[in-house]
Amino acid sequence: MTVQPHPAAAPRSRPDVTPFFHRATHTWSYLVVDPSTSHCAIVDPVMDFDQASGNTGFAAADVIIAEVRSRQLTLDWILETHVHADHLSAAPYLQQALGGRIGIGAGITVVQHTFG
Amino acid sequence: MFNEGTEFQRDGSQFDRLFEDGDAFQLGELLVQAWHTPGHTPACMSFVVGDAVFVGDTLFMPDSGTARVDFPGGDARTLYQSIQRILSLPGDTRLYLCHDYGGEGCREVQCMTTVAEERRANVHVRDGIELPEFVALREARDRSLAMPQLILPSLQVNMRAGRLPPADQDGRVFLKLPVNGL
């Protein structure tokens, strides 16, 4: 009789993860790479925002863009874990530079009704 | 709260994809699962990729506990259930956090911990802390917290998928500051 391994015991895939720390807001953004195809996702990218002046900036996002380009990765997804209340997202800036689709939880509509 | 009027779409159409709980999609040859993990906010998701999970604002480093639940739509009981689901994964699962404050300045900032380490040592949800105790801890902590410095600009931009509000006829963009709105 052949013993089948339990699915939970199967080895799990191991994505390559590069963290980026945004010091002003203490936020971690991530570049998640499939090592076998070089397709990647970016999780929770941050736009710089100086509240005193009202100025926006993209220094933090440019660091991630440079990493994607230097490793010749293909960006498939820009993922937001939620509607953040402590930093501004750089998702559209990254999408313009690198492509990919912006995704968020379907609960966004609740948040839009609450705050819109 | 921001009196955005009828031109602001509230159907999520500013985004390319809205994930429901359990949705799965490919990243190259990797499979990504989207888990709805609300509690901090109603829209919170965790993304499970192989042995790694991007947990957003649910768990923080063990010495820092969990995300606050005092924003509109937040709920301590809901957060506890979401966290239990994450902590049911194998002990060596890597958990990537959205924030770290270095234990309020006592250590270097860190971005990753594991399910086993959270279950052993998380100050709010380690093994043995049941729901009522968690709710009491979480709600007491929230009463001591100020609003995040950037909450008002963040919400106005992030609910538009990171886009600024529409410019006026002269190309100027404004963010609102609702008085006594929060």
Side-chain angles (χ1 to χ4, degrees):
Chain A
M1 169 183 157
T2 307
V3 179
Q4 296 294 324
H6 188 276
R12 294 184 291 173
S13 59
R14 193 172 169 81
D16 175 75
V17 180
T18 305
F20 299 85
F21 189 60
H22 189 257
R23 192 158 298 281
T25 62
H26 285 83
T27 303
W28 288 104
S29 305
Y30 298 99
L31 175 63
V32 188
V33 181
D34 171 20
S36 61
T37 65
S38 295
H39 283 252
C40 70
I42 293 167
V43 181
D44 291 334
V46 181
M47 177 167 74
D48 303 312
F49 182 70
D50 180 64
Q51 190 158 32
S53 65
N55 290 337
T56 59
F58 296 97
D62 284 338
V63 172
I64 303 178
I65 291 171
E67 177 81 5
V68 170
R69 287 186 172 149
S70 72
R71 292 168 63 180
Q72 299 184 295
L73 305 172
T74 302
L75 181 66
D76 291 348
W77 292 98
I78 303 164
L79 303 173
E80 299 283 2
T81 55
H82 60 293
V83 178
H84 306 278
D86 42 26
H87 68 266
L88 284 64
S89 171
Y93 181 78
L94 288 170
Q95 186 177 47
Q96 190 167 37
L98 299 171
R101 302 172 72 197
I102 303 173
I104 197 167
I108 177 67
T109 59
V110 179
V111 175
Q112 289 177 329
H113 280 283
T114 301
F115 292 107
Chain B
M1 178 192 294
F2 294 110
N3 193 26
E4 295 289 351
T6 53
E7 67 274 21
F8 175 63
Q9 298 295 310
R10 293 164 176 81
D11 58 1
S13 56
Q14 300 87 347
F15 296 81
D16 301 311
R17 172 82 185 260
L18 303 184
F19 299 113
E20 302 281 353
D21 182 55
D23 279 355
F25 56 96
Q26 291 294 133
L27 181 65
E29 293 175 1
L30 298 173
L31 187 71
V32 184
Q33 281 186 295
W35 285 10
H36 187 212
T37 49
H40 172 62
T41 78
C44 284
M45 304 298 286
S46 294
F47 295 100
V48 183
V49 196
D51 74 335
V53 188
F54 299 86
V55 298
D57 283 5
T58 53
L59 291 154
F60 295 130
M61 288 303 290
D63 63 1
S64 305
T66 56
R68 64 194 300 174
V69 296
D70 58 337
F71 298 157
D75 181 72
R77 289 159 192 81
T78 307
L79 181 63
Y80 185 84
Q81 300 305 333
S82 293
I83 287 172
Q84 293 309 311
R85 186 176 175 196
I86 294 167
L87 296 182
S88 72
L89 288 163
D92 62 353
T93 304
R94 296 180 284 166
L95 304 179
Y96 287 95
L97 316 172
C98 190
H99 295 287
D100 186 51
Y101 299 88
E104 299 186 354
C106 298
R107 55 165 173 75
E108 288 294 302
V109 292
Q110 293 180 263
C111 66
M112 194 270 282
T113 181
T114 64
V115 165
E117 193 54 24
E118 294 283 28
R119 290 183 61 162
R120 186 187 70 77
N122 187 288
V123 293
H124 293 160
V125 290
R126 65 178 177 270
D127 284 359
I129 296 182
E130 303 293 334
L131 176 63
E133 185 182 355
F134 170 75
V135 172
L137 281 168
R138 186 63 264 166
E139 292 181 348
R141 171 80 175 140
D142 287 349
R143 284 191 288 274
S144 75
L145 297 176
M147 280 293 132
Q149 191 71 31
L150 294 180
I151 186 169
L152 295 171
S154 295
L155 291 171
Q156 289 172 82
V157 171
N158 294 339
M159 71 184 184
R160 295 181 161 86
R163 294 179 188 90
L164 297 169
D168 71 6
Q169 65 271 23
D170 298 320
R172 299 173 301 184
V173 174
F174 295 89
L175 292 165
K176 295 175 181 173
L177 196 159
V179 175
N180 297 324
L182 273 172

